[in-house]
Amino acid sequence: MHRAEVDRFVTIADLLVWVVDPQKYADAALHRNYIVPFARHAGVTLIVLNQVDRLAPHEIDDCVADLRRLLEAEGLADPRIVTTSAVAEDGVHGFRDTLVDTVAARRARTERLSADVDRAAERFTGYRLDAEPPVTVDDGRKAELLQALTDAAGAPPSPRPWRAPTSCAPPTSSAGPSPPWSPGCGPTRCAGCASPSCARSCATPSPARSAPSRATSTTRSRVSPRASPPSSRRTGAAPSAPRPAPTPPRSRRP
């Protein structure tokens, strides 16, 4: 259970702190499973040599020097080593100061992310070419990519490249029916449209575009009392018989 928790935290912790003692600082399990795999994370790795109160002053320096040599041999560049003692009066002051400086600098997360990216990039070192990779794509590959995207989308190839329609001039007022308009430009008069697609669509009005004029004439026929019914005008059929005049209201007797 403890090993599983350690394996989980080493992948997400911003600062890796390894606490060792003078008797087991060269433990093979620690170095093989954590120090060597995370050797690139030297900037966010802190080695704490605890229980230095059991050593003489000159032995502390020898122990720290040997631990540093071992870590550098395993790929940990310029390792940070802090000595502590739980029984000494100021035995953890150095460790506390290091944590405070690390938190105040606010660089641990950035350095950890940078180390993770470098570690992931190492897996692709064997696939790197000797020459520099190309920065442009030739026309042949562009055509193949365009054709593949067209086939995947199920759309027929366009004879000319598509361009977004530009804005049209605002509609002008007129007494006649509304002019045909382009679906890409909105219901406007398209007087100043510079888009080729809009010019083609405006030049050849379709039945759908002339629908506003038919709707306008139908509305006028319904409003005008003298106009004949829309069905008779469209089909040429004879108009129906006029409706009888309404009966005047009866007057009340006094």
Side-chain angles (χ1 to χ4, degrees):
M1 184 64 182
H2 179 69
R3 172 67 180 274
E5 289 296 323
V6 174
D7 293 342
R8 185 173 68 90
F9 276 109
V10 293
T11 59
I12 60 177
D14 294 336
L15 181 65
L16 303 177
V17 180
W18 304 107
V19 181
V20 297
D21 55 66
Q23 290 78 23
K24 298 181 180 179
Y25 67 83
D27 182 60
L30 172 64
H31 290 261
R32 180 179 61 253
N33 298 327
Y34 302 106
I35 300 298
V36 174
F38 292 92
R40 280 189 170 270
H41 295 68
V44 292
T45 301
L46 180 62
I47 308 298
V48 178
L49 181 61
N50 195 23
Q51 300 180 3
V52 294
D53 54 279
R54 298 184 177 183
L55 301 175
H58 67 280
E59 294 177 342
I60 296 177
D61 296 337
D62 294 342
C63 187
V64 171
D66 188 62
L67 177 59
R68 185 181 302 276
R69 178 194 56 80
L70 180 61
L71 295 174
E72 291 177 349
E74 293 174 338
L76 200 66
D78 194 15
R80 291 186 296 174
I81 302 176
V82 179
T83 58
T84 59
S85 174
V87 299
E89 181 178 357
D90 56 348
V92 294
H93 285 179
F95 180 42
R96 181 181 181 277
D97 294 341
T98 303
L99 293 180
V100 170
D101 295 341
T102 302
V103 174
R106 297 183 178 181
R107 293 195 307 265
R109 181 177 300 180
T110 304
E111 293 178 355
R112 172 61 196 259
L113 180 60
S114 178
D116 289 342
V117 172
D118 294 339
R119 184 185 181 190
E122 287 182 351
R123 298 183 299 175
F124 301 93
T125 304
Y127 301 97
R128 183 178 179 180
L129 301 177
D130 297 335
E132 291 295 329
V135 295
T136 58
V137 181
D138 57 280
D139 296 338
R141 291 184 178 272
K142 288 182 181 179
E144 293 178 1
L145 178 60
L146 180 60
Q147 185 62 37
L149 293 176
T150 302
D151 297 341
S158 177
R160 63 179 63 186
W162 180 85
R163 293 188 301 176
T166 57
S167 60
C168 300
T172 57
S173 60
S174 61
S178 302
W181 51 277
S182 170
C185 303
T188 57
R189 192 175 281 276
C190 296
C193 182
S195 173
S197 60
C198 182
R200 290 195 300 271
S201 61
C202 294
T204 57
S206 61
R209 300 191 184 100
S210 59
S213 60
R214 293 201 302 268
T216 304
S217 60
T218 305
T219 305
R220 292 177 179 174
S221 64
R222 293 178 181 176
V223 175
S224 177
R226 297 181 180 180
S228 60
S231 59
S232 63
R233 292 201 313 273
R234 290 195 304 267
T235 60
S240 59
R243 297 182 180 180
T247 305
R250 297 179 181 179
S251 60
R252 296 182 180 181
R253 295 181 181 181

